[in-house]
Amino acid sequence: MNQEIRVRFAPSPTGALHTGGIRTAIFNWLFARKNKGKFLLRIEDTDKERSKDEFTQMIFDNLKWLGIDWDEEPVFQSKNIKNHNKNIHKLLKEKKAYYCYCSPELLAKMRKETEKRGIPFKYPRTCLQLPEKQKEEFESKELPRVVRFLILEGITEYDDLIHGKIKVNNSEIDDFIISRSDNTPTYQIAAVSDDQDMKITHIIRGDDHLSNTPKQILLHKALGFEVPSFGHLPLIFGMNKKKLSKRFGAVSLDEYIDIGILPEAMFNFLALLGWSPGNERELFNKTELIELFSLKGISKNNAIFDIKKLEWMNGKYISSKENYELLPFVLPFWIKMRIIDEKIAEEKKSYLLEVIEILKSRVKKLSEFAEYGYYFFEDPSHYDQPAENKYWKNNIKERLMDLFNSLEKLKVFNKDTIEKSLRQLAELKNISASKYIHPARLAITGFGISPGIFEVMELLGKEAVLRRLKNAVQYLDFSSPNL
RNA sequence: GGCGCAUUCGUCUAGGGGUUAGGACGCCGGCCUCUCACGCCGGUAACAGGGGUUCGAAUCCCCUAUGCGCUACCA
């Protein structure tokens, strides 16, 4: 038991990584780091039809984005086929597997027939009992053949790291195929061979593999290997309680990156989906997560991915991060919205940091820095209509001009002097300060809501503020001359 | 259909024979306040159902229901 713990994350590169896969990676990584073991990567690319290099790259990128590092060179399953075949032949030689010449069409027919009678289909082992002569004839005709693993009678049981004792009667298991008619190994034998090859000690994967496990245990044993430990994670579903799929909202990690989720938030959120450290805290950094992680805290039931909670957590991370740390994450959103370009970004760095400071406590997604903050970069091109109806009435032009004149006199233009000046004006005119504040906000930002308007004005600077006030008056002159 | 796994607020979960069943998100209300957000305070809401075992069951056992997974020459 003193051997080094080695775990693996084994995605197939047939699509973008989704949250379930990511969480499997996180748990494996946490388990390895906690136990000073090794976290390995294996790309299960044996499905030649669907596997794509771009997906492999995406998997690497996604893991890096999350801050998940791996300890040895990634293993590509397709490069181990020789070894898989070696194991298949070993089983064949020891009569633990046999050739089957039944065509897929014949199989489909048999399956249909038994199902019609309500009986679960199992391969009837016709080819196992084939007379030697018949076999020779098939071979000489070069009939396509697969290799089936012979399931012996008995009970297969193991102690699942998460579910506890799992027991399955071997009679429930079909003589599954381990080598296809084109002589390529199937998943079951490939996974078992590679896990041995990589000296994997703990296989932690999704519950969808639960029923594969007895098959794989049998394979490990038949090959004379030591059986690794298995643990099965509950699955993650979308809000509709259905398996995550393209149909229902964002599912791939990339889509969350696109809306502006921070890697720390994603990691924290996913770590807590199906696992709890047993206390009432919610926010943990990676080091704390590693420290606290234990298989014991893993829940047995499937979880639903609640994006609202992710967004809340993301907001927490955004507001607690330093401005300079946020900048590289926010910048792409501003650039994408064409609010600024890279050259300007470098020149105006200190200004950008202040914009981030002023917005970060009220933003849940990085994309909102762009959505809610464009007026830090450009004069409003239009004014929010409901806000206009609400705030711009009764002598509004006169009030905006009065404010303009007051602010124009300021020698020092900061939030304190601005506020003082505005409140003095209100007092002088004997109306409430809010009768200046809200119209000014609308004139300056174009919105009825914004961060504290005095801070916004300070950041924007005297020139821009006065210009925007004047613009608003001009706009009103044109659109509502009688105000 | 068969086999397997599961079932605590809408969601994520804590608890695991005696608790006012705790926390978080969401939602609702209040405070703060120039709006919004943050923050703070408060509220809402759950042990799937039925049988046992027990002085006592959300907790242990059985059954039912429901959900999910697997049942491929996919992984």
Side-chain angles (χ1 to χ4, degrees):
Chain A
M1 268 319 272
N2 263 340
Q3 64 175 328
E4 179 186 59
I5 284 179
R6 292 167 69 84
V7 297
R8 95 272 126 125
F9 175 53
S12 52
T14 53
L17 231 37
H18 59 269
T19 48
I22 295 285
R23 205 228 4 208
T24 303
I26 289 176
F27 282 12
N28 272 286
W29 186 83
L30 249 16
F31 182 70
R33 294 292 170 262
K34 164 81 181 196
N35 294 291
K36 309 255 180 289
K38 293 279 195 293
F39 172 80
L40 312 181
L41 212 52
R42 182 170 77 225
I43 304 298
E44 308 219 322
D45 55 348
T46 52
D47 184 343
K48 277 164 272 165
E49 300 280 301
R50 297 191 300 146
S51 295
K52 296 263 176 350
D53 287 347
E54 58 190 276
F55 292 131
T56 302
Q57 192 53 47
M58 204 184 277
I59 290 165
F60 293 158
D61 291 346
N62 284 171
L63 292 175
K64 281 184 206 151
W65 182 82
L66 276 163
I68 294 179
D69 54 346
W70 49 95
D71 295 311
E72 293 172 8
E73 277 302 298
V75 170
F76 287 85
Q77 191 154 63
S78 58
K79 292 188 180 150
N80 293 149
I81 292 182
K82 246 186 275 166
N83 187 240
H84 307 155
N85 283 140
K86 195 186 83 194
N87 286 328
I88 290 166
H89 285 116
K90 188 176 171 209
L91 292 172
L92 236 23
K93 207 162 88 191
E94 295 174 8
K95 303 237 182 290
K96 290 171 177 167
Y98 58 95
Y99 287 116
C100 170
Y101 305 87
C102 300
S103 69
E105 294 74 29
L106 175 64
L107 256 15
K109 212 172 119 190
M110 289 194 284
R111 191 171 288 124
K112 218 167 135 190
E113 221 137 279
T114 51
E115 272 166 14
K116 217 193 294 173
R117 285 183 289 150
I119 302 165
F121 175 76
K122 268 178 71 183
Y123 179 64
R125 292 182 171 168
T126 28
C127 291
L128 179 64
Q129 288 118 341
L130 231 46
E132 276 308 310
K133 260 209 178 130
Q134 184 72 266
K135 253 188 236 177
E136 277 161 29
E137 191 194 324
F138 286 167
E139 286 295 320
S140 63
K141 279 194 195 155
E142 288 186 19
L143 227 56
R145 53 173 202 199
V146 300
V147 178
R148 287 182 182 274
F149 181 51
L150 180 62
I151 304 291
L152 270 10
E153 277 181 29
I155 305 278
T156 300
E157 58 185 316
Y158 76 100
D159 203 8
D160 192 277
L161 266 10
I162 289 149
H163 291 280
K165 286 247 178 301
I166 303 260
K167 205 159 88 174
V168 175
N169 195 322
N170 292 358
S171 63
E172 300 298 336
I173 307 173
D174 197 16
D175 285 352
F176 57 89
I177 292 169
I178 53 178
S179 179
R180 302 185 186 98
S181 53
D182 63 356
N183 290 318
T184 58
T186 63
Y187 164 72
Q188 307 287 5
I189 189 75
V192 166
S193 303
D194 289 347
D195 284 332
Q196 282 300 332
D197 226 39
M198 295 164 78
K199 301 187 167 57
I200 301 301
T201 57
H202 299 253
I203 295 174
I204 300 166
R205 69 227 299 201
D207 263 346
D208 47 344
H209 285 286
L210 207 50
S211 18
N212 281 331
T213 304
K215 299 180 189 176
Q216 294 178 2
I217 287 176
L218 255 16
L219 236 22
H220 277 107
K221 285 183 176 164
L223 287 162
F225 296 149
E226 195 181 329
V227 181
S229 301
F230 290 89
H232 291 90
L233 267 16
L235 269 14
I236 297 176
F237 295 109
M239 271 312 219
N240 58 354
K241 300 195 184 204
K242 286 272 147 54
K243 201 170 171 173
L244 288 170
S245 75
K246 293 271 178 236
R247 276 163 182 260
F248 302 101
V251 289
S252 74
L253 189 65
D254 281 3
E255 288 171 78
Y256 292 104
I257 297 173
D258 283 348
I259 61 169
I261 299 296
L262 248 16
E264 294 95 321
M266 191 49 128
F267 194 102
N268 190 159
F269 175 75
L270 249 22
L272 256 39
L273 199 55
W275 173 74
S276 161
N279 58 32
E280 291 182 343
R281 262 182 75 186
E282 301 272 347
L283 268 12
F284 300 96
N285 65 36
K286 271 199 198 89
T287 315
E288 294 169 319
L289 252 12
I290 290 170
E291 185 55 38
L292 259 19
F293 189 76
S294 158
L295 259 19
K296 285 202 183 64
I298 294 178
S299 150
K300 292 180 187 179
N301 28 341
N302 298 336
I304 289 167
F305 190 99
D306 182 3
I307 192 162
K308 279 273 201 293
K309 187 154 186 176
L310 204 213
E311 286 178 356
W312 163 79
M313 197 173 271
N314 200 47
K316 287 281 200 184
Y317 275 94
I318 288 175
S319 48
S320 69
K321 256 182 174 307
E322 298 294 336
N323 301 335
Y324 72 87
E325 296 176 302
L326 248 16
L327 185 57
F329 287 101
V330 178
L331 214 45
F333 287 94
W334 281 335
I335 290 170
K336 196 165 75 191
M337 294 284 278
R338 300 205 185 147
I339 288 172
I340 53 172
D341 61 45
E342 275 167 84
K343 219 177 84 196
I344 294 174
E346 197 46 49
E347 288 164 15
K348 300 176 91 178
K349 195 167 168 188
S350 65
Y351 179 73
L352 300 184
L353 291 174
E354 295 201 60
V355 174
I356 288 175
E357 170 64 26
I358 213 171
L359 284 172
K360 72 176 178 184
S361 72
R362 62 199 75 224
V363 145
K364 283 198 162 76
K365 295 176 278 189
L366 297 168
S367 57
E368 291 168 348
F369 277 104
E371 277 166 46
Y372 302 150
Y374 85 90
Y375 52 81
F376 286 104
F377 304 95
E378 289 164 22
D379 291 354
S381 57
H382 61 277
Y383 302 101
D384 179 64
Q385 192 58 51
E388 204 178 314
N389 296 340
K390 191 169 172 192
Y391 298 123
W392 281 359
K393 50 194 183 190
N394 308 333
N395 311 317
I396 184 61
K397 280 186 286 189
E398 190 189 322
R399 267 184 286 148
L400 288 175
M401 277 320 291
D402 286 344
L403 183 60
F404 179 96
N405 291 326
S406 302
L407 296 180
E408 195 181 26
K409 291 194 196 90
L410 288 176
K411 295 261 186 308
V412 179
F413 198 78
N414 66 36
K415 65 179 196 292
D416 296 328
T417 59
I418 297 164
E419 177 163 10
K420 203 170 144 200
S421 156
L422 182 146
R423 289 193 190 280
Q424 270 171 2
L425 172 65
E427 208 168 314
L428 186 75
K429 300 281 178 180
N430 201 25
I431 47 179
S432 85
S434 62
K435 289 277 188 285
Y436 288 100
I437 288 171
H438 295 300
R441 164 176 290 113
L442 183 55
I444 290 162
T445 69
F447 290 108
I449 57 173
S450 81
I453 195 61
F454 304 119
E455 289 156 279
V456 172
M457 287 199 228
E458 179 182 338
L459 224 198
L460 249 21
K462 188 174 177 178
E463 195 189 328
V465 168
L466 294 179
R467 184 178 65 240
R468 290 182 187 192
L469 286 173
K470 195 168 257 173
N471 285 350
V473 171
Q474 275 168 6
Y475 164 83
L476 285 164
D477 262 335
F478 182 73
S479 69
S480 329
N482 51 340
L483 279 180

